[in-house]
Amino acid sequence: MTPMLAPLVGDAPTVTFIGLCKNAGKTTAMCRLIEELSGETLAMTSVGRDGERTDVVTGTEKPEIWARSGTLFATARGMLPLCDTTLRVEGVTDVMTPLGAVGIFRALSDGYIQLAGPSAVNQLGPLSQTFRALGAQRVLIDGAAGRKSLAGAEAGATAVLCVGASVDGGIPFIAAETAHICQLFAAPEAEDPVLHAALDGEVGRYALFSPTGERLPLELEPSGQPAWHALPREHCVLWIGGGITGPLLRTLARRGAPLTVAAPDATHFLCDRGSAETFYRCGGSLMVARRLRIAAVTANPWSAYGKHLDGPALLAALREAVDVPVVDVRQEA
Amino acid sequence: MKLNAQLKEDTGYSWVMARMEPASPFGHALVRTPRWYGPGEEAQLEEELSRVEALRTLLDSGEVALDSITHILSEFHDIRNSLKRPTNAPMDEVELFEVKHFLIHLERLAQVYASIPALEGLEIRPMTESLDLLDPSGRRLPAFSVENAFEPALERVREEKALVEGLLRQTEKKGRDDLMARRSELVRKEDRLELEARKRLTMAILRERDTFLASMEAIGRLDLLLAKARLARRFYCCRPEIVDKPKVVAVDMVHPEVADHLQERGGSFTSVSITLERGATVITGANMGGKSVSMKSLTLNLLLTQTGFFAFAGSFSAPLFDSVSLICTDRQSVEQGLSSFGAEVAALGEVLREEKGKFFYIALDEFARGTNPREGAALARALVEYLGRLNCVALMTTHYDGVSDAARRHYRVAGLGALDTAAIRKDEAPLDRLSRLMDYHLIEAEPGEPCPRDALRVCRLLDLDPELMEIFSKNS
């Protein structure tokens, strides 16, 4: 098999597969990378239930994950009857899911596995550490659709953005959405070293800094939200530890004063394209404490709802719209 | 006696329990349901207290094995639910992993426990046979899998499956389907054999269910003892002395919860000493003079003593009672529509019905204060006289005159007796001022000595409106 994704992700210790929509081909892309990395000890988990033969939400056929002997994986206990490798229980985490506690297993033979890992991003860090302690060389995370899951940016972490035809609106719309996501992920880390260090160490929900990293007072409403109208008029950097939504960016855009919104990493940008554009137009910019690189965009012209797209046209449109490499994991397989 | 939530809350027992830090789920369960040592169980209680004392001494000497024990305790998971099953329901791999995990840690705990001086009456034994069953190689690694050793036929099936999977790795599209079909067949065989093995292991584990439960109990007890010893160290508690006469002697007793609040506000707790004998002891004194706190401290220490804890006092001696109760304004009953008087009387009635004929302790906070003063005083006095005839030790606080003369003993709060008005600082918050000037010590008084008249001074210290104070002082 010609390596296609492996050269793009390089040495990244963690690769997260993010979907632009449901049925974006995340699992297909992940399976492809698993095959390409067959010489490595891989560890894998998912955020939200994944890997099942039929998609629980849409009822469409989904690819299963075929793991090689030696692979480590984290999944809920209730998924065990659906895994057909010989397996060894390496540990049990205290992460609970509707399908039982998440256990850590090692495949002792090749075979199909089913992933249903933790749903909260802060549970991924400790899990990755456990994987590494058990000998994993690389961690693959099957993220949930619609970027609802946060990829969790470890140093050097990489994402693969999976784009499918299951988005309404045709090729131009899909290309524009993809470009929007890539732009969000291109948000830079702070250039000023003091500001960089301040953002790196920030754990609060909100904080305010000057562009040179000096902490500024931030007035909060009784609800705990910052008093937006009381933000300074001169350029400052607003740290938001949670999700950054479209309505929030529009609120900030309406102030008409320059502002940089900083997030832990790009997966926190949950804003739609229109809001982001309005925000940029009004002098706003985005920044991250830790950059999460999109290594590749994968395209899946096949729709779960029957409206398949023209594969070459989709690839061409995506290549036109974004700077990162675009691949079709099925066609070139 | 079972400690109810209200009593735990009112006395501050819950506050103390919240400061307990057991490390294992089994220790946590025991903290929630403390064992009560009643009359006749003095020897067992003394043994328990000796164990706490021994551990405290070891903690004082910096015994490192105790750190290892605490660490191992924190590694236990609660597997009681896995043991509650019919014998024909096999455990899955994760449950078997958890059982093995439990057994490995039990073995480690037993090893470390053997290295400290033995605690009388508490044994931690490894379950070597059960562990060997789940760990046939004896390597004591934490991971678990259904090994070939559990079911001889597994080895052949797995070898064949590995062969097919090896071929699959080398086969591109053509011929894969046949290999996949062959593999599916082998997977089904493997599953069946694994199921048989899991069934056999589960049955073997469940045959030892009682030993498992006894081990968990022992682990929980060790954990609880360590938590008790650490608590006693942290708060400088004393080992209570258990006596066989109806006499409670508390010296330099504190209420840890109140002391903690005071410390947060920059104050300090005045320790109190009191002796109680059969019959009723009455405490009188100024409002805000700490009568109720003294009473709660004593009741708390009795509860702690009878559940095998050290006491929050310089020294503490008491007999074992059949029951310990505290009757104070019960907000819950009042919310349910009873008047505060009605609630008190109902609670008293219940204690008397239940405990008459037994040896009991009862504390009453300003009993009958909610009714008219004449009848209230008469009722309080009648109760003191009546309790004097029963086999009990009672403690009552009151503002009524004519109650203490019927009591066995009478204490009064030192209060504001020696108050120097020059000491009043205007810039001080009224409550801080009051607590600075109030002497919370208990002083033994003559029976019948009238209650101190401190209300006027308390109002003045609390900055009540001067016009009202003027009318008040004219009338009093």
Side-chain angles (χ1 to χ4, degrees):
Chain A
M1 176 186 292
T2 335
M4 179 197 298
L5 286 173
L8 298 176
V9 298
D11 293 335
T14 305
V15 183
T16 302
F17 294 81
I18 312 169
L20 190 67
C21 58
K22 276 207 75 66
N23 291 292
K26 279 185 290 116
T27 314
T28 310
M30 186 157 152
C31 288
R32 168 86 198 197
L33 185 62
I34 291 168
E35 274 190 64
E36 290 182 20
L37 297 176
S38 61
E40 287 184 22
T41 302
L42 297 178
M44 44 194 88
T45 188
S46 77
V47 183
R49 191 181 169 181
D50 232 310
E52 58 273 49
R53 196 188 297 263
T54 303
D55 188 284
V56 179
V57 182
T58 57
T60 52
E61 191 76 6
K62 283 200 68 177
E64 293 180 298
I65 294 176
W66 179 268
R68 288 206 166 210
S69 173
T71 300
L72 289 156
F73 62 101
T75 195
R77 212 177 114 192
M79 280 293 170
L80 280 192
L82 304 179
C83 299
D84 77 358
T85 61
T86 306
L87 55 82
R88 180 157 80 205
V89 189
E90 295 282 0
V92 182
T93 69
D94 46 18
V95 176
M96 283 306 293
T97 74
L99 296 160
V102 172
I104 296 173
F105 307 92
R106 192 189 295 271
L108 299 180
S109 74
D110 293 358
Y112 290 117
I113 60 169
Q114 306 276 341
L115 298 178
S119 54
V121 66
N122 58 2
Q123 295 162 335
L124 282 174
L127 189 58
S128 293
Q129 281 172 12
T130 311
F131 278 147
R132 296 222 154 80
L134 290 167
Q137 291 167 284
R138 202 192 290 261
V139 179
L140 308 185
I141 299 165
D142 195 346
R147 299 186 298 120
K148 291 292 188 310
S149 70
L150 308 181
E154 283 181 293
T158 279
V160 172
L161 176 62
C162 304
V163 176
S166 306
V167 183
D168 267 343
I171 290 178
F173 180 82
I174 293 172
E177 283 295 305
T178 308
H180 163 60
I181 304 296
C182 287
Q183 191 179 5
L184 293 178
F185 275 74
E189 294 183 13
E191 273 176 27
D192 184 280
V194 181
L195 179 61
H196 196 288
L199 296 181
D200 234 11
E202 185 55 54
V203 289
R205 179 114 175 102
Y206 298 104
L208 194 65
F209 298 96
S210 74
T212 50
E214 186 193 346
R215 187 180 288 271
L216 302 174
L218 178 63
E219 195 183 316
L220 295 181
E221 305 268 12
S223 65
Q225 287 237 331
W228 304 121
H229 62 274
L231 288 174
R233 301 300 298 169
E234 56 273 21
H235 184 216
C236 52
V237 179
L238 175 68
W239 163 271
I240 300 178
I244 291 158
T245 60
L248 174 65
L249 285 191
R250 274 198 296 275
T251 304
L252 293 172
R254 275 202 300 272
R255 296 171 60 247
L259 179 72
T260 299
V261 169
D265 61 70
T267 59
H268 288 250
F269 299 132
L270 305 174
C271 44
D272 58 284
R273 177 152 49 103
S275 306
E277 276 166 10
T278 309
F279 179 65
Y280 299 141
R281 212 171 47 241
C282 295
S285 60
L286 299 173
M287 185 179 273
V288 288
R290 185 163 278 173
R291 179 91 188 269
L292 180 60
R293 187 173 66 94
I294 292 188
V297 170
T298 69
N300 174 23
W302 192 85
S303 164
Y305 308 104
K307 283 189 285 183
H308 307 319
L309 298 174
D310 175 358
L314 176 63
L315 278 178
L318 289 174
R319 285 184 177 135
E320 179 70 23
V322 302
D323 294 335
V324 285
V326 180
V327 293
D328 178 349
V329 286
R330 288 189 188 208
Q331 286 225 325
E332 294 171 35
Chain B
M1 179 183 132
K2 199 172 172 328
L3 271 63
N4 66 47
Q6 183 78 45
L7 182 64
K8 286 184 189 175
E9 204 51 53
D10 288 345
T11 52
Y13 190 88
S14 301
W15 188 92
V16 176
M17 291 307 115
R19 264 95 204 136
M20 289 281 283
E21 290 168 345
S24 71
F26 314 117
H28 273 286
L30 291 183
V31 170
R32 281 195 297 274
T33 51
R35 175 180 169 187
W36 178 261
Y37 295 86
E41 294 175 303
E42 286 80 2
Q44 289 95 315
L45 176 56
E46 290 288 4
E47 271 183 28
E48 175 77 358
L49 295 172
S50 296
R51 287 188 286 263
V52 177
E53 189 165 17
L55 284 174
R56 188 172 72 170
T57 310
L58 283 177
L59 283 169
D60 285 339
S61 68
E63 173 62 61
V64 284
L66 293 185
D67 293 338
S68 311
I69 287 181
T70 307
H71 177 69
I72 298 170
L73 286 170
S74 72
E75 294 284 328
F76 281 104
H77 300 167
D78 196 349
I79 57 164
R80 281 173 293 194
N81 277 337
S82 289
L83 298 174
K84 286 183 208 151
R85 67 196 311 129
T87 44
N88 59 358
M91 293 186 187
D92 66 23
E93 286 89 341
V94 174
E95 283 175 299
L96 290 166
F97 168 87
E98 291 280 30
V99 173
K100 182 181 173 190
H101 175 93
F102 172 83
L103 292 168
I104 288 178
H105 285 87
L106 177 64
E107 190 173 81
R108 284 189 201 156
L109 183 66
Q111 274 164 10
V112 184
Y113 182 67
S115 74
I116 62 167
L119 300 175
E120 202 183 327
L122 181 67
E123 278 190 85
I124 305 279
R125 284 206 208 103
M127 295 175 63
T128 311
E129 264 180 46
S130 296
L131 180 52
D132 286 345
L133 189 72
L134 290 174
D135 182 28
S137 69
R139 295 199 301 168
R140 301 299 188 246
L141 293 175
F144 174 82
S145 63
V146 180
E147 293 178 34
N148 293 346
F150 295 140
E151 174 57 65
L154 266 174
E155 188 169 356
R156 210 173 50 81
V157 174
R158 283 177 175 168
E159 272 172 10
E160 201 178 337
K161 195 176 82 147
L163 214 67
V164 175
E165 283 160 3
L167 287 173
L168 269 168
R169 284 189 185 190
Q170 297 153 18
T171 312
E172 294 283 321
K173 286 193 174 134
K174 205 176 160 214
R176 271 186 84 85
D177 287 353
D178 287 348
L179 285 170
M180 285 304 275
R182 177 73 190 124
R183 182 180 175 275
S184 295
E185 213 175 283
L186 290 165
V187 164
R188 277 196 296 276
K189 258 191 201 168
E190 185 190 18
D191 276 352
R192 259 199 314 276
L193 292 169
E194 284 184 354
L195 179 67
E196 284 307 313
R198 286 193 283 117
K199 271 187 188 163
R200 274 202 302 279
L201 290 173
T202 305
M203 272 161 70
I205 289 165
L206 292 181
R207 273 197 294 275
E208 297 295 324
R209 182 169 11 207
D210 291 346
T211 318
F212 271 98
L213 293 175
S215 299
M216 290 173 203
E217 170 81 17
I219 295 165
R221 281 179 59 209
L222 175 60
D223 195 5
L224 179 68
L225 282 166
L226 259 172
K228 283 178 176 179
R230 274 194 296 263
L231 186 82
R233 257 187 110 216
R234 177 174 161 194
F235 290 96
Y236 307 100
C237 300
C238 72
R239 175 176 176 161
E241 188 193 346
I242 310 304
V243 296
D244 59 2
K245 50 186 185 295
K247 187 172 184 179
V248 179
V249 183
V251 179
D252 287 338
M253 173 175 68
V254 298
H255 193 285
E257 185 178 4
V258 179
D260 190 63
H261 288 315
L262 284 173
Q263 203 174 8
E264 268 174 30
R265 289 192 359 227
S268 65
F269 190 94
T270 308
S271 62
V272 288
S273 302
I274 187 170
T275 300
L276 273 60
E277 285 173 280
R278 189 196 299 271
T281 297
V282 168
I283 306 177
T284 57
N287 297 82
M288 311 279 297
K291 296 188 296 295
S292 305
V293 173
S294 299
M295 189 174 75
K296 284 183 183 178
S297 308
L298 190 83
T299 313
L300 169 65
N301 278 315
L302 285 174
L303 289 178
L304 288 171
T305 299
Q306 291 204 239
T307 47
F309 285 81
F310 277 23
F312 289 79
S315 73
F316 192 79
S317 72
L320 295 187
F321 295 100
D322 283 307
S323 80
V324 169
S325 15
L326 169 68
I327 295 175
C328 54
T329 309
D330 170 4
R331 264 165 287 142
Q332 214 177 352
S333 306
V334 173
E335 278 158 18
Q336 283 165 5
L338 268 84
S339 70
S340 56
F341 179 67
E344 269 174 3
V345 171
L348 173 67
E350 198 182 317
V351 172
L352 293 178
R353 252 192 321 279
E354 294 276 320
E355 307 303 330
K356 205 169 168 180
K358 296 184 193 160
F359 177 49
F360 66 100
Y361 166 89
I362 183 168
L364 301 119
D365 192 16
E366 293 189 32
F367 182 70
R369 70 169 151 188
T371 187
N372 78 68
R374 250 183 91 146
E375 279 188 301
L379 179 57
R381 191 197 146 89
L383 181 61
V384 166
E385 205 177 306
Y386 176 72
L387 289 171
R389 295 181 200 162
L390 299 182
N391 188 21
C392 74
V393 173
L395 181 60
M396 186 154 132
T397 62
T398 188
H399 282 292
Y400 292 136
D401 280 333
V403 175
S404 64
D405 50 1
R408 178 71 184 255
R409 275 168 177 265
H410 177 203
Y411 285 87
R412 67 174 178 83
V413 175
L416 298 167
L419 180 64
D420 173 9
T421 41
I424 298 178
R425 293 204 293 256
K426 277 287 168 206
D427 56 341
E428 210 169 10
L431 276 175
D432 290 343
R433 178 193 300 152
L434 188 69
S435 60
R436 183 170 59 81
L437 296 173
M438 182 70 74
D439 182 349
Y440 296 97
H441 285 102
L442 290 179
I443 295 172
E444 189 140 23
E446 289 298 317
E449 194 179 301
C451 295
R453 299 287 183 259
D454 271 338
L456 183 67
R457 282 186 289 183
V458 169
C459 292
R460 191 166 285 143
L461 286 172
L462 289 175
D463 278 348
L464 199 62
D465 188 84
E467 204 178 321
L468 172 59
M469 286 306 299
E470 203 184 313
I471 309 175
F472 178 22
S473 69
K474 262 187 218 154
N475 282 318
S476 63

